[in-house]
């Protein structure tokens, strides 16, 4: 009877094992090529049990996206200590982000690539996570602006744009770091800080990059509105 | 006979009209929801003619991605004057990029969202374009490093990471600018320069952001390797 007992696990534990296996297979093979047979085998359960618990390949994939999106957002939030200066908070947040994506490359492939590459309803799941991270970064930039007493100088729209740029840069860099042998999470975070903070830092110090004169030949932008700087 | 003549167009012209209509419908409705009926109607041709010329919905979508990827890369390249200083080249390149994506929002939705959201072979088409733009930005950063006499200080890997970050930031910002009423191409380019150049500028001036000490509590990165800074 002991042998039977060790095989019996609570449903919640079994489900997590199935999700572990599914994230690995979806991340490495891609959503289309991933087979439920392979996922069941890797999880050490029967395929009917996977369907009984998770219903369908689509629902299993959605459950993977939800779990991994939650884990990533929690890792970033847990990495930040709100009592520090804004640049240190950003460094810690980026460190936590790149450490998490480096430790969970299959989960990152699911979120960054697979979930966006197979239409709805998967793309919406990732969009929700992304909006949460953009809101978090927006608060960090606003805190930095307050610290630098630049609060009124930076219009809300500029802050929103900077947050979008920062998140896009970090997403792109995480995909590159995971695909490039030998790039550590710390190196990726340091590159990102060099790019983002030394940049945001100049901005907070009231030293934006100055665009050339409107009349100058060779400027290729279509609109003639004033630069936000 | 004159009336017939005006209706007869060279195949190449007809094809471009079909692609114009397809980019608009794919960009606005999404790949899955786009109907060949609607595309044919918007192009002012019969549906059988669309299939005769472009073969299938999949081939039509691939043709749209190829044409729009080529147009975007050409717009960026044409916007840059190689005789200028690196920051001016970057400003012009970003200006050309944001002007092009603002003028062609449907094309940008096809490239940035639709092509990546519907699996292969579409995703590979966009990856090729992206690699070309990353290579172009890498050359700009190397030129900036040479100008600042920082060439040997910046390892190849750091430059590659900065280029990935910059392209990811610009992609993210273009999607946000197109989705946010009232944000002009010039404003997006100025925000991007504030973020990227004031940042890269500090880096080129030998002023990277300094990471805190390794031992400091609260740093959440997993690896202990030296920061690239």
């Amino acid at each position: 009877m002991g042998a039977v007992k060790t095989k019996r696990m609570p449903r919640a534990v079994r489900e997590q094992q199935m999700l572990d296996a599914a994230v690995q297979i979806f991340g490495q093979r891609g959503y289309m090529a991933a087979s439920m047979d392979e996922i069941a085998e890797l999880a050490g359960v029967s395929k009917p049990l996977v369907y009984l618990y998770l219903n369908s390949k689509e629902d299993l994939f959605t459950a993977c996206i939800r779990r991994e999106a939650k884990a990533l957002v929690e890792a970033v939030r847990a990495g930040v200590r709100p009592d520090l200066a804004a640049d240190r908070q950003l460094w810690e947040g980026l460190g936590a982000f790149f450490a998490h994506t480096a430790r969970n490359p299959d989960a990152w492939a699911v979120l960054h690539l697979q979930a966006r590459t197979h239409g709805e309803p998967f793309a919406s799941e990732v969009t929700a996570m992304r909006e949460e991270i953009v809101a978090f970064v927006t608060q960090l930039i606003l805190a930095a602006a307050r610290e630098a007493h630049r609060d009124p100088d930076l219009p809300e729209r500029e802050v929103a744009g900077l947050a979008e740029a920062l998140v896009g840069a970090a997403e792109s860099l995480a995909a590159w770091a995971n695909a490039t042998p030998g790039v550590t999470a710390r190196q990726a975070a340091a590159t990102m800080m060099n790019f983002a903070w030394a940049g945001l830092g100049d901005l907070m110090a009231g030293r934006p990059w100055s665009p050339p004169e409107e009349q100058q030949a060779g400027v290729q932008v279509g609109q003639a509105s004033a630069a936000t700087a």
Side-chain angles (χ1 to χ4, degrees), chain A:
Chain A
M1 295 303 277
V4 173
K5 253 189 180 168
T6 57
K7 274 193 147 181
R8 282 224 176 117
M9 290 183 198
R11 174 171 174 149
V13 177
R14 278 266 192 246
E15 269 192 21
Q16 291 308 310
Q17 288 177 338
M18 290 177 193
L19 290 178
D20 289 343
V23 167
Q24 189 176 327
I25 301 294
F26 283 135
Q28 291 176 9
R29 302 256 189 283
Y31 176 64
M32 299 304 275
S35 87
M36 294 296 269
D37 286 298
E38 202 179 1
I39 290 168
E41 195 188 329
L42 186 63
V45 298
S46 68
K47 194 161 76 166
L49 195 66
V50 179
Y51 279 104
L52 181 68
Y53 280 12
L54 276 316
N55 193 43
S56 66
K57 186 177 177 182
E58 185 172 301
D59 284 359
L60 176 59
F61 190 49
T62 303
C64 289
I65 296 170
R66 281 198 190 142
R67 188 183 79 166
E68 296 308 329
K70 190 160 172 275
L72 176 58
V73 171
E74 279 173 5
V76 172
R77 288 196 179 275
V80 174
R81 289 190 304 162
D83 53 312
L84 293 181
D87 67 327
R88 299 294 292 276
Q89 286 193 47
L90 184 59
W91 166 246
E92 293 185 356
L94 287 170
F97 172 77
F98 286 109
H100 187 86
T101 53
R103 278 194 214 108
N104 304 279
D106 296 332
W108 180 243
V110 164
L111 292 176
H112 182 61
L113 200 61
Q114 293 303 322
R116 304 206 289 191
T117 311
H118 298 287
E120 296 302 343
F122 313 127
S124 307
E125 296 283 341
V126 176
T127 301
M129 173 199 73
R130 196 178 192 277
E131 280 170 2
E132 199 173 335
I133 291 186
V134 168
F136 184 63
V137 171
T138 302
Q139 289 310 309
L140 269 186
I141 295 175
L142 286 172
R146 273 194 301 275
E147 279 174 22
H149 304 290
R150 292 271 153 198
D151 212 357
D153 295 359
L154 279 180
E156 197 182 324
R157 182 159 285 176
E158 176 82 353
V159 172
L162 291 169
E164 287 285 342
L166 197 155
V167 169
E171 286 171 338
S172 177
L173 206 53
W176 171 81
N178 280 0
T180 308
V183 175
T184 66
R186 190 178 171 82
Q187 281 167 345
T191 296
M192 190 62 215
M193 278 306 279
N194 275 336
F195 184 66
W197 189 264
L200 290 175
D202 262 0
L203 194 58
M204 298 305 165
R207 292 192 304 267
W209 182 85
S210 301
E213 293 303 308
E214 297 279 324
Q215 294 78 10
Q216 168 112 13
V219 175
Q220 297 292 324
V221 285
Q223 287 88 339
S225 63
T228 49

